[in-house]
Amino acid sequence: MQVIIKIARHDQNSGSWYQSYTLEVEPGNTILDCLNQIKWEQDGSLAFRKNCRNTICGSCAMRINGRSALACKENVGNEVARLQELMTRVVSSEVEESDLKGIPEITIAPMGNMPVIKDLVVDMASFWNNLEAVDPYVSTNARKVPEREFLQTPSERSQLDQTGNCILCGACYSECNAREVNPDFVGPHALAKAYRILADSRDAQSETRLENYNEGTKGVWGCTRCFYCNSVCPMDVAPMDQIGKIKGEILQRKDAQASRSIRHRKVLVDLVKKGGWVDERKFAVLVLGNYFRDIKGLLELGPVGLRTLLRRKLPFDFEPSLGADQVRSLIESVRKRKAEGKEHK
């Protein structure tokens, strides 16, 4: 089959542009196969990273048709099918029939949130620096008997299976919306590794680590829960889920006075538990105003509250949702199961 590979090119002297290459390929050929074919047969100047070709090293991460993925994992057939499905979802007036029948085009670009060095090669310094910032190593002082191995039970080791699958490809970091707007946020890859250490029975610095991960919006509270990191992870590490687990550990140790981020979560759950959904009259006052303790926070609400009032969008009463008792029961059940899980550990 014929396919057009449209690649975002970049050179420090020439700037950025897109260049298209027409290839004869098989549906089972990977995107990395296509890049190799271009490099070897059409354009030796094309730059990209690769290594294992077996979805192990993570070197060939790049944006393929708009989302970050491994070039050695994705193949032409699947990408063409995905594109055709997307095209058919578009309003018919916006899509010409010829667009669906022509030579399929696959667009490849460098990963996001990192500066481009050349073509598909990005500078991953911030990625590695943020990983280092969470200290992703088991503490050596946990090894109380240095003369022998520090053994784990199968149950203890199983806690590391999912996060241990991370190959540090950078796909989640590339798609992270929080990282795009907040340069202090360490990123989903770092926090997934952070939870891997927290879950490791050999580590003895959990409390110190949790304090670090709880700091401002550079840690777990910087995550906007957009789910992109989970959707693009090629190894099903689910970084957002791991961030949520760290938040859970922090929330168990802190009360609502600790910070606005913690108060936001606790107030949200408490209000939903009480009424089935959020009572908007109370939410901002309790979170920003810290239960009327924070005068500065209350003053911040003034302009927004006034505009809301003038536009008649401020609710003056609150009616619990249908099924509030069921919602309350579910919250209590989840809390009970979490507590039982902690006891079993």
Side-chain angles (χ1 to χ4, degrees), residues 21 45 58 62 110 123 178 194 219 231 244 255 275 290-291 304 314 323:
Y21 304 88
S45 70
M62 56 191 67
D123 183 351
S231 67
D255 60 26
N290 191 12
Y291 298 86
V304 177
L314 182 67

Side-chain angles (χ1 to χ4, degrees), residues 194-223:
Y195 182 73
R196 183 248 178 266
I197 301 301
L198 282 177
D200 197 316
S201 62
R202 299 167 296 178
D203 188 70
Q205 307 226 352
S206 294
E207 299 303 322
T208 301
R209 294 183 189 280
L210 287 172
E211 287 297 326
N212 291 335
Y213 308 153
N214 183 38
E215 188 176 342
T217 56
K218 72 178 185 180
V220 292
W221 304 113
C223 172

Side-chain angles (χ1 to χ4, degrees), residues 152-176:
Q152 289 182 297
T153 65
S155 176
E156 289 172 333
R157 178 59 184 82
S158 68
Q159 301 299 314
L160 314 179
D161 289 347
Q162 186 176 23
T163 49
N165 287 335
C166 177
I167 57 176
L168 296 173
C169 64
C172 63
Y173 190 81
S174 168
E175 299 298 333
C176 181

Side-chain angles (χ1 to χ4, degrees), residues 175-325:
E175 299 298 333
C176 181
N177 286 319
R179 175 66 195 174
E180 186 173 349
V181 299
N182 177 14
D184 293 329
F185 182 54
V186 294
H189 72 300
L191 293 171
K193 284 292 185 182
Y195 182 73
R196 183 248 178 266
I197 301 301
L198 282 177
D200 197 316
S201 62
R202 299 167 296 178
D203 188 70
Q205 307 226 352
S206 294
E207 299 303 322
T208 301
R209 294 183 189 280
L210 287 172
E211 287 297 326
N212 291 335
Y213 308 153
N214 183 38
E215 188 176 342
T217 56
K218 72 178 185 180
V220 292
W221 304 113
C223 172
T224 60
R225 295 182 60 81
C226 67
F227 203 76
Y228 276 12
C229 57
N230 279 18
S231 67
V232 300
C233 178
M235 305 304 292
D236 297 322
V237 173
M240 192 188 78
D241 293 5
Q242 314 315 323
I243 294 172
K245 293 174 185 176
I246 299 176
K247 288 179 179 178
E249 295 287 343
I250 293 171
L251 289 168
Q252 288 181 12
R253 292 165 168 79
K254 302 288 185 179
D255 60 26
Q257 304 306 311
S259 70
R260 186 176 289 183
S261 298
I262 291 174
R263 193 158 53 250
H264 183 284
R265 176 60 64 86
K266 288 184 176 290
V267 168
L268 180 69
V269 174
D270 289 344
L271 290 178
V272 171
K273 180 182 175 184
K274 185 176 181 179
W277 50 33
V278 176
D279 185 343
E280 296 176 342
R281 303 169 306 160
K282 298 179 180 179
F283 184 69
V285 173
L286 296 180
V287 174
L288 297 181
N290 191 12
Y291 298 86
F292 297 96
R293 293 183 178 92
D294 187 346
I295 302 301
K296 183 179 179 181
L298 289 171
L299 291 175
E300 289 179 15
L301 284 173
V304 177
L306 182 60
R307 289 197 300 270
T308 306
L309 184 63
L310 291 175
R311 295 177 183 179
R312 298 179 181 180
K313 292 186 177 182
L314 182 67
F316 290 99
D317 57 0
F318 176 79
E319 184 176 344
S321 70
L322 296 175
D325 292 339

